[in-house]
Amino acid sequence: MKTPGNFSETGFASIPVNPATFPGLNTMGMSFVRADFKPGAINPPHFHPRATEIAHVVEGRLYAGFVDSNNKVFARVLEKGEVMVFPRGLMHFQMNVGEVPATIFGSFNSQNPGSQRIPSAVFGSGIDNSLLEKAFGLSSKEIVMMRRKFDPKATVKP
């Protein structure tokens, strides 16, 4: 957790620390993550089905928030030294709004919090195209384009 991990095309890198990488956490009911953001980078909307997360900003400025079960957004810009809590199972997100890299340390109240990224779950999972067309008001061609974007290994037909 001393240095950033490998950056994705969104400019985001994370290093998880859990019993698989640090056996001393086994049975402790906790895990951690270091997340780094290049300027303008995002951590796409996602949720953790088995844990609440507390994110502490170590460097930079992040726009961060979550959406509650009534579809109300709770978001703000966090600066160095500030924290935000993301309740278990609620969709949340982060974006570096600063001009320099940003880093957060996140802690979870589960040794196996899980992580489900919304774009990949919807368009990279194999949900029937006709259902997605109706749910999002998109054409078959647009669904295929989204599938290619979020699951490049998929061979999809309109």
Side-chain angles (χ1 to χ4, degrees):
M1 293 184 57
K2 194 173 182 179
T3 59
N6 297 321
F7 286 93
S8 70
E9 72 248 9
T10 66
F12 173 74
S14 66
I15 301 173
V17 180
N18 55 48
T21 58
F22 189 70
L25 289 175
N26 194 32
T27 74
M28 300 299 287
M30 63 174 57
S31 56
F32 305 93
V33 67
R34 175 191 171 129
D36 292 278
F37 301 78
K38 292 180 178 180
I42 65 163
N43 186 5
H46 65 284
F47 66 94
H48 305 287
R50 295 179 293 276
T52 292
E53 176 181 2
I54 298 176
H56 174 254
V57 180
V58 179
E59 291 293 337
R61 297 178 69 232
L62 292 170
Y63 171 68
F66 64 91
V67 179
D68 74 6
S69 58
N70 292 317
N71 290 328
K72 182 175 179 185
V73 176
F74 294 85
R76 62 181 296 255
V77 173
L78 301 173
E79 303 201 11
K80 181 178 179 176
E82 295 185 306
V83 300
M84 182 172 268
V85 175
F86 304 116
R88 178 179 51 176
L90 294 185
M91 182 181 71
H92 58 280
F93 51 85
Q94 297 104 10
M95 178 173 66
N96 184 347
V97 294
E99 296 182 15
V100 298
T103 301
I104 63 171
F105 287 136
S107 60
F108 302 93
N109 65 345
S110 170
Q111 69 181 41
N112 183 18
S115 184
Q116 187 78 51
R117 292 181 181 257
I118 305 304
S120 298
V122 173
F123 296 105
S125 64
I127 295 173
D128 184 77
N129 280 9
S130 60
L131 184 146
L132 294 176
E133 289 169 27
K134 291 175 183 176
F136 293 101
L138 299 173
S139 70
S140 178
K141 186 177 181 179
E142 290 168 317
I143 296 295
V144 169
M145 183 180 72
M146 296 298 282
R147 285 196 186 282
R148 286 190 181 127
K149 181 176 177 108
F150 293 107
D151 188 5
K153 298 175 292 236
T155 53
V156 292
K157 299 176 188 168

